[in-house]
mmCIF file of all heavy atoms in Angstrom:
data_model
loop_
_atom_site.group_PDB
_atom_site.id
_atom_site.type_symbol
_atom_site.label_atom_id
_atom_site.label_comp_id
_atom_site.label_asym_id
_atom_site.label_seq_id
_atom_site.Cartn_x
_atom_site.Cartn_y
_atom_site.Cartn_z
ATOM 1 N N ASN J 272 46.203 0.070 84.953
ATOM 2 C CA ASN J 272 46.610 1.307 85.592
ATOM 3 C C ASN J 272 46.059 2.601 84.961
ATOM 4 O O ASN J 272 46.663 3.651 84.978
ATOM 5 C CB ASN J 272 48.176 1.389 85.618
ATOM 6 C CG ASN J 272 48.682 2.354 86.626
ATOM 7 O OD1 ASN J 272 48.005 2.671 87.631
ATOM 8 N ND2 ASN J 272 49.829 2.918 86.354
ATOM 9 N N SER J 273 44.884 2.522 84.342
ATOM 10 C CA SER J 273 44.299 3.775 83.830
ATOM 11 C C SER J 273 43.550 4.463 84.970
ATOM 12 O O SER J 273 43.072 3.868 85.913
ATOM 13 C CB SER J 273 43.349 3.495 82.665
ATOM 14 O OG SER J 273 42.421 2.523 82.986
ATOM 15 N N ILE J 274 43.488 5.786 84.857
ATOM 16 C CA ILE J 274 42.950 6.634 85.962
ATOM 17 C C ILE J 274 41.479 6.983 85.711
ATOM 18 O O ILE J 274 41.093 7.258 84.570
ATOM 19 C CB ILE J 274 43.785 7.930 86.070
ATOM 20 C CG1 ILE J 274 45.197 7.619 86.615
ATOM 21 C CG2 ILE J 274 43.069 8.949 86.990
ATOM 22 C CD1 ILE J 274 46.082 8.822 86.735
ATOM 23 N N ARG J 275 40.691 7.008 86.749
ATOM 24 C CA ARG J 275 39.293 7.425 86.702
ATOM 25 C C ARG J 275 39.264 8.962 86.762
ATOM 26 O O ARG J 275 39.760 9.524 87.754
ATOM 27 C CB ARG J 275 38.552 6.814 87.890
ATOM 28 C CG ARG J 275 37.163 7.295 88.120
ATOM 29 C CD ARG J 275 36.196 6.555 87.199
ATOM 30 N NE ARG J 275 34.818 6.966 87.497
ATOM 31 C CZ ARG J 275 34.109 6.442 88.489
ATOM 32 N NH1 ARG J 275 34.611 5.532 89.262
ATOM 33 N NH2 ARG J 275 32.859 6.857 88.680
ATOM 34 N N TYR J 276 38.755 9.608 85.751
ATOM 35 C CA TYR J 276 38.703 11.071 85.751
ATOM 36 C C TYR J 276 37.351 11.660 86.108
ATOM 37 O O TYR J 276 37.235 12.613 86.822
ATOM 38 C CB TYR J 276 39.167 11.630 84.371
ATOM 39 C CG TYR J 276 40.653 11.713 84.291
ATOM 40 C CD1 TYR J 276 41.448 10.659 83.880
ATOM 41 C CD2 TYR J 276 41.300 12.880 84.673
ATOM 42 C CE1 TYR J 276 42.817 10.728 83.851
ATOM 43 C CE2 TYR J 276 42.690 12.970 84.641
ATOM 44 C CZ TYR J 276 43.428 11.894 84.214
ATOM 45 O OH TYR J 276 44.816 11.982 84.216
ATOM 46 N N SER J 277 36.293 11.054 85.515
ATOM 47 C CA SER J 277 34.964 11.650 85.681
ATOM 48 C C SER J 277 34.012 10.738 86.434
ATOM 49 O O SER J 277 34.225 9.535 86.507
ATOM 50 C CB SER J 277 34.333 11.948 84.301
ATOM 51 O OG SER J 277 35.189 12.746 83.539
ATOM 52 N N ASP J 278 32.985 11.343 86.974
ATOM 53 C CA ASP J 278 31.823 10.623 87.461
ATOM 54 C C ASP J 278 30.714 10.833 86.447
ATOM 55 O O ASP J 278 30.868 11.644 85.499
ATOM 56 C CB ASP J 278 31.401 11.190 88.831
ATOM 57 C CG ASP J 278 31.573 10.130 89.901
ATOM 58 O OD1 ASP J 278 31.662 8.953 89.551
ATOM 59 O OD2 ASP J 278 31.580 10.497 91.097
ATOM 60 N N TYR J 279 29.589 10.143 86.645
ATOM 61 C CA TYR J 279 28.489 10.369 85.735
ATOM 62 C C TYR J 279 27.185 10.022 86.420
ATOM 63 O O TYR J 279 27.177 9.398 87.477
ATOM 64 C CB TYR J 279 28.644 9.478 84.475
ATOM 65 C CG TYR J 279 28.473 7.995 84.709
ATOM 66 C CD1 TYR J 279 27.292 7.355 84.428
ATOM 67 C CD2 TYR J 279 29.504 7.221 85.205
ATOM 68 C CE1 TYR J 279 27.111 6.006 84.644
ATOM 69 C CE2 TYR J 279 29.339 5.865 85.457
ATOM 70 C CZ TYR J 279 28.159 5.267 85.164
ATOM 71 O OH TYR J 279 28.010 3.915 85.368
ATOM 72 N N LYS J 280 26.084 10.460 85.814
ATOM 73 C CA LYS J 280 24.797 9.969 86.224
ATOM 74 C C LYS J 280 24.011 9.663 84.980
ATOM 75 O O LYS J 280 24.400 10.056 83.867
ATOM 76 C CB LYS J 280 24.060 10.986 87.129
ATOM 77 C CG LYS J 280 23.846 12.344 86.532
ATOM 78 C CD LYS J 280 23.273 13.311 87.584
ATOM 79 C CE LYS J 280 23.052 14.696 86.957
ATOM 80 N NZ LYS J 280 22.692 15.699 87.954
ATOM 81 N N GLY J 281 22.914 8.896 85.129
ATOM 82 C CA GLY J 281 22.135 8.504 83.954
ATOM 83 C C GLY J 281 22.865 7.398 83.198
ATOM 84 O O GLY J 281 23.930 6.868 83.611
ATOM 85 N N TYR J 282 22.342 7.048 81.993
ATOM 86 C CA TYR J 282 22.826 5.909 81.234
ATOM 87 C C TYR J 282 22.291 6.020 79.820
ATOM 88 O O TYR J 282 21.192 6.595 79.632
ATOM 89 C CB TYR J 282 22.295 4.612 81.907
ATOM 90 C CG TYR J 282 22.820 3.339 81.356
ATOM 91 C CD1 TYR J 282 24.125 2.935 81.616
ATOM 92 C CD2 TYR J 282 22.003 2.491 80.608
ATOM 93 C CE1 TYR J 282 24.632 1.735 81.145
ATOM 94 C CE2 TYR J 282 22.478 1.305 80.078
ATOM 95 C CZ TYR J 282 23.801 0.918 80.377
ATOM 96 O OH TYR J 282 24.272 -0.288 79.892
ATOM 97 N N GLY J 283 23.081 5.599 78.831
ATOM 98 C CA GLY J 283 22.562 5.688 77.468
ATOM 99 C C GLY J 283 22.290 7.173 77.139
ATOM 100 O O GLY J 283 23.114 8.061 77.404
ATOM 101 N N TYR J 284 21.113 7.470 76.643
ATOM 102 C CA TYR J 284 20.808 8.835 76.181
ATOM 103 C C TYR J 284 20.760 9.812 77.364
ATOM 104 O O TYR J 284 20.853 11.008 77.199
ATOM 105 C CB TYR J 284 19.508 8.891 75.409
ATOM 106 C CG TYR J 284 19.598 8.133 74.082
ATOM 107 C CD1 TYR J 284 18.904 6.933 73.885
ATOM 108 C CD2 TYR J 284 20.482 8.551 73.074
ATOM 109 C CE1 TYR J 284 19.059 6.194 72.717
ATOM 110 C CE2 TYR J 284 20.636 7.820 71.910
ATOM 111 C CZ TYR J 284 19.929 6.652 71.732
ATOM 112 O OH TYR J 284 20.091 5.913 70.560
ATOM 113 N N SER J 285 20.590 9.276 78.570
ATOM 114 C CA SER J 285 20.480 10.207 79.723
ATOM 115 C C SER J 285 21.847 10.373 80.425
ATOM 116 O O SER J 285 21.934 11.012 81.479
ATOM 117 C CB SER J 285 19.457 9.659 80.736
ATOM 118 O OG SER J 285 19.956 8.409 81.262
ATOM 119 N N PHE J 286 22.919 9.861 79.820
ATOM 120 C CA PHE J 286 24.259 9.960 80.415
ATOM 121 C C PHE J 286 24.614 11.421 80.621
ATOM 122 O O PHE J 286 24.405 12.252 79.721
ATOM 123 C CB PHE J 286 25.264 9.287 79.501
ATOM 124 C CG PHE J 286 26.713 9.533 79.885
ATOM 125 C CD1 PHE J 286 27.326 8.765 80.870
ATOM 126 C CD2 PHE J 286 27.446 10.549 79.276
ATOM 127 C CE1 PHE J 286 28.654 9.001 81.230
ATOM 128 C CE2 PHE J 286 28.785 10.777 79.625
ATOM 129 C CZ PHE J 286 29.368 9.995 80.608
ATOM 130 N N GLN J 287 25.114 11.730 81.826
ATOM 131 C CA GLN J 287 25.551 13.122 82.085
ATOM 132 C C GLN J 287 26.892 13.093 82.852
ATOM 133 O O GLN J 287 27.054 12.329 83.804
ATOM 134 C CB GLN J 287 24.486 13.793 82.981
ATOM 135 C CG GLN J 287 23.327 14.346 82.204
ATOM 136 C CD GLN J 287 22.397 15.165 83.138
ATOM 137 O OE1 GLN J 287 22.404 14.973 84.347
ATOM 138 N NE2 GLN J 287 21.676 16.099 82.548
ATOM 139 N N PHE J 288 27.778 13.961 82.373
ATOM 140 C CA PHE J 288 29.072 14.144 83.065
ATOM 141 C C PHE J 288 28.868 14.694 84.449
ATOM 142 O O PHE J 288 28.031 15.571 84.676
ATOM 143 C CB PHE J 288 29.906 15.128 82.247
ATOM 144 C CG PHE J 288 31.081 15.738 82.991
ATOM 145 C CD1 PHE J 288 32.215 15.019 83.272
ATOM 146 C CD2 PHE J 288 31.000 17.086 83.442
ATOM 147 C CE1 PHE J 288 33.288 15.573 83.952
ATOM 148 C CE2 PHE J 288 32.079 17.667 84.111
ATOM 149 C CZ PHE J 288 33.220 16.905 84.396
ATOM 150 N N VAL J 289 29.602 14.152 85.436
ATOM 151 C CA VAL J 289 29.638 14.707 86.783
ATOM 152 C C VAL J 289 31.119 14.910 87.152
ATOM 153 O O VAL J 289 31.931 13.976 87.005
ATOM 154 C CB VAL J 289 28.956 13.772 87.840
ATOM 155 C CG1 VAL J 289 29.140 14.288 89.241
ATOM 156 C CG2 VAL J 289 27.488 13.582 87.491
ATOM 157 N N LYS J 290 31.434 16.118 87.562
ATOM 158 C CA LYS J 290 32.863 16.455 87.837
ATOM 159 C C LYS J 290 33.338 15.724 89.089
ATOM 160 O O LYS J 290 32.577 15.530 90.023
ATOM 161 C CB LYS J 290 32.926 17.973 88.070
ATOM 162 C CG LYS J 290 34.332 18.523 88.115
ATOM 163 C CD LYS J 290 34.285 20.073 88.075
ATOM 164 C CE LYS J 290 35.698 20.625 88.043
ATOM 165 N NZ LYS J 290 35.718 22.085 87.887
ATOM 166 N N ARG J 291 34.559 15.255 89.056
ATOM 167 C CA ARG J 291 35.121 14.650 90.281
ATOM 168 C C ARG J 291 36.637 14.868 90.230
ATOM 169 O O ARG J 291 37.217 15.165 89.208
ATOM 170 C CB ARG J 291 34.816 13.177 90.400
ATOM 171 C CG ARG J 291 35.562 12.336 89.424
ATOM 172 C CD ARG J 291 35.258 10.847 89.647
ATOM 173 N NE ARG J 291 36.199 10.183 90.557
ATOM 174 C CZ ARG J 291 35.909 9.123 91.300
ATOM 175 N NH1 ARG J 291 34.711 8.672 91.272
ATOM 176 N NH2 ARG J 291 36.805 8.591 92.087
ATOM 177 N N GLU J 292 37.259 14.715 91.381
ATOM 178 C CA GLU J 292 38.704 14.827 91.494
ATOM 179 C C GLU J 292 39.328 13.573 90.866
ATOM 180 O O GLU J 292 39.033 12.462 91.345
ATOM 181 C CB GLU J 292 39.058 14.913 92.974
ATOM 182 C CG GLU J 292 40.526 15.296 93.261
ATOM 183 C CD GLU J 292 40.991 16.551 92.496
ATOM 184 O OE1 GLU J 292 40.172 17.470 92.353
ATOM 185 O OE2 GLU J 292 42.128 16.515 92.001
#
Side-chain angles (χ1 to χ4, degrees):
N272 198 26
S273 51
I274 290 178
R275 172 82 176 277
Y276 276 87
S277 304
D278 244 343
Y279 70 97
K280 56 186 180 189
Y282 187 73
Y284 294 111
S285 65
F286 170 83
Q287 278 187 336
F288 162 74
V289 173
K290 191 170 183 175
R291 71 178 269 152
E292 190 51 37

